[in-house]
Amino acid sequence: MSKRVHISPLANEGMYILDTASWRTERPVMNKEKCIECGLCLTYCPVNAIIFDENKYKITYNYCKGCGICAVECPKKAIDMVPEGGGK
Amino acid sequence: MNYIEKLRTSEDMVTPGMSACQGCCGELVLRRILQISGKNTIVCVPPGCMSGAGVVGWDYQTGMKIPVHIPLLTNTASFLSGVSQMYQRKGRGDVNMIAVAGDGATADGGFQSLSGAAERNEKMLYVCYDNEGYMNTGFQRSSTTTKGSRTSTTPIGEAINGKQQPSKYVALIMSMHALQYCATASPSHMQDMVAKVERGLAESKKGFAFIHVIAPCPTGWSFEPDMSIQIAKKAVASNMFPLWEKYNGNYYITVENKKPIPVKEFLQSMGKYKSLTDDDIAQIQKEADTKYETLKKLASE
């Protein structure tokens, strides 16, 4: 459940974090061959699950809710929504 | 530095796991605004979807990496006026004062404090994410709910067919105050939105800045979560939500719509308008056209 991470000095107990990854029924999977590194997926991801690391866009699954906006907005259709096979 | 570079290098100020619905544009707007404003910010989030989703924290925990306040639904702008005044007095005019409020806290309950703060030209940036209803409590109608929209307090039935009154155009009302900056933005036009937030933050050091952002709500408006950005795009393309800004007393249309799509295309892409008749659609089309014509006239002066 909510992990207690002390990021801010303001609150007593730390950061309120919800395990939103458990909501996911489909996960976005990026096809690196089609990706043109335009960055629109990062721009539109509501939970900031897409990061820019080592000059590549990558999907992280810790908080991704599986909304699928990235798959719809990708101009090259490089992201597919794959059904989750139980668990993380 | 273009806007994508800016977004990918700036730190997220909001808790990574918050309980906003899948595909929530409110969450997207909140994160982007605070990414642009950065660490030197105090933010006010009145009751609504975003505070309900846990960005103000819960049970002695905080929901943000920066100071966050939860005022009442009615006093967001006056609360932040006080905070802003105190910071000016302490010589900390550099701190960004941001309110991120829903349409209920902006257009309904919070309107008197908002109008007052705009009239006093308090130094702050007030952002309204407009999901056209009280989504947090189950989609009751608000004054920005569009005509013909199904809500839990204006259901579809024999007596009425969705909301009977047209929506209140808050952004235009606000722009008629002598404020520093006023704009409308859409998360689908991210470059435009980022530029407006940056300008709004710069202008908020001199006076009151107001930005009205459309935030399509998959749960309330009944569409698939992955279509959020497409719906926002259609709202702009059909002139249901034109993008413009006002500064130095002049209006500017920032995204010009040379060939607007029929509003029918926007209305039929979601469930909340499913009971509309052709007459209703024609009337909404007329209202959207009038709205855009008014803006064009204001912008050409």
Side-chain angles (χ1 to χ4, degrees):
Chain A
M1 281 307 289
S2 58
K3 293 154 241 173
R4 294 200 160 168
V5 191
H6 203 97
I7 298 175
S8 165
L10 293 158
N12 291 347
E13 306 277 345
M15 197 92 177
Y16 170 81
I17 297 175
L18 203 69
D19 179 19
T20 49
S22 61
W23 300 6
R24 205 167 55 225
T25 53
E26 284 180 324
R27 68 161 61 205
V29 177
M30 199 184 276
N31 182 349
K32 273 281 142 210
E33 281 167 17
K34 283 192 199 166
C35 178
I36 52 164
E37 313 284 343
C38 67
L40 280 182
C41 49
L42 178 136
T43 310
Y44 290 132
C45 178
V47 290
N48 276 348
I50 294 165
I51 54 163
F52 188 70
D53 187 29
E54 293 167 355
N55 289 324
K56 290 251 180 301
Y57 290 95
K58 288 176 186 161
I59 302 175
T60 60
Y61 298 102
N62 292 339
Y63 299 102
C64 171
K65 295 172 185 170
C67 65
I69 288 181
C70 52
V72 171
E73 296 307 321
C74 180
K76 292 285 166 191
K77 300 281 164 250
I79 300 175
D80 296 316
M81 297 305 285
V82 181
E84 287 281 350
K88 258 192 188 178
Chain B
M1 192 191 266
N2 71 19
Y3 75 104
I4 294 180
E5 277 171 42
K6 220 169 270 168
L7 291 178
R8 74 190 185 200
T9 49
S10 49
E11 193 190 343
D12 192 2
M13 291 296 156
V14 188
T15 173
M18 61 184 270
S19 60
C21 309
Q22 289 176 319
C24 175
C25 276
E27 181 179 3
L28 174 65
V29 169
L30 177 78
R31 281 187 202 274
R32 293 296 172 269
I33 289 166
L34 296 180
Q35 265 177 288
I36 297 157
S37 71
K39 269 213 149 91
N40 196 17
T41 304
I42 288 182
V43 65
C44 237
V45 186
C49 278
M50 285 306 108
S51 48
V55 305
V56 293
W58 184 256
D59 193 19
Y60 298 107
Q61 293 173 300
T62 179
M64 282 204 205
K65 299 172 190 172
I66 49 176
V68 53
H69 297 281
I70 175 164
L72 302 176
L73 188 73
T74 50
N75 70 354
T76 318
S78 49
F79 183 99
L80 200 59
S81 299
V83 179
S84 179
Q85 291 278 353
M86 193 62 201
Y87 270 73
Q88 309 296 330
R89 191 174 292 182
K90 293 268 179 198
R92 290 297 309 276
D94 59 309
V95 179
N96 298 320
M97 298 286 162
I98 303 184
V100 182
D103 51 302
T106 304
D108 295 353
F111 193 68
Q112 51 85 14
S113 67
L114 173 67
S115 180
E119 189 265 327
R120 295 191 303 273
N121 219 7
E122 299 282 356
K123 293 172 180 162
M124 66 168 91
L125 171 66
Y126 194 107
V127 181
C128 165
Y129 63 94
D130 186 2
N131 44 25
E132 301 186 354
Y134 292 83
M135 300 308 180
N136 186 33
T137 46
F139 200 3
Q140 286 82 15
R141 96 193 259 288
S142 81
S143 55
T144 62
T145 309
T146 37
K147 189 175 180 169
S149 164
R150 178 199 67 201
T151 71
S152 57
T153 43
T154 57
I156 298 165
E158 281 170 14
I160 55 167
N161 186 19
K163 191 187 168 188
Q164 297 298 293
Q165 301 82 8
S167 68
K168 171 154 97 183
Y169 202 9
V170 198
L172 202 56
I173 299 171
M174 288 310 296
S175 77
M176 293 295 168
H177 294 70
L179 40 63
Q180 202 68 28
Y181 183 71
C182 183
T184 62
S186 162
S188 60
H189 295 63
M190 193 58 85
Q191 188 171 11
D192 179 67
M193 190 176 114
V194 169
K196 280 171 177 167
V197 172
E198 280 177 339
R199 177 171 276 249
L201 282 171
E203 297 291 335
S204 73
K205 302 289 184 294
K206 296 177 231 158
F208 194 89
F210 179 82
I211 302 181
H212 190 111
V213 190
I214 188 172
C217 166
T219 313
W221 297 16
S222 346
F223 58 83
E224 294 290 322
D226 56 355
M227 296 311 287
S228 294
I229 301 292
Q230 294 294 325
I231 298 272
K233 256 180 207 163
K234 278 183 194 165
V236 175
S238 64
N239 283 343
M240 286 293 278
F241 197 87
L243 301 181
W244 52 272
E245 62 183 349
K246 185 206 175 188
Y247 58 93
N248 294 339
N250 297 320
Y251 289 82
Y252 303 94
I253 291 177
T254 51
V255 175
E256 270 197 61
N257 236 351
K258 292 256 163 60
K259 279 185 192 157
I261 61 166
V263 292
K264 198 173 181 182
E265 222 168 288
F266 167 72
L267 300 174
Q268 288 183 341
S269 55
M270 63 193 100
K272 74 167 179 171
Y273 296 114
K274 69 173 178 195
S275 71
L276 288 181
T277 60
D278 285 347
D279 285 354
D280 294 334
I281 292 173
Q283 210 177 342
I284 292 171
Q285 176 77 59
K286 211 175 141 194
E287 277 160 19
D289 291 346
T290 319
K291 199 191 261 183
Y292 194 64
E293 283 303 315
T294 312
L295 285 169
K296 269 213 298 210
K297 273 179 202 156
L298 283 169
S300 64
E301 271 170 15

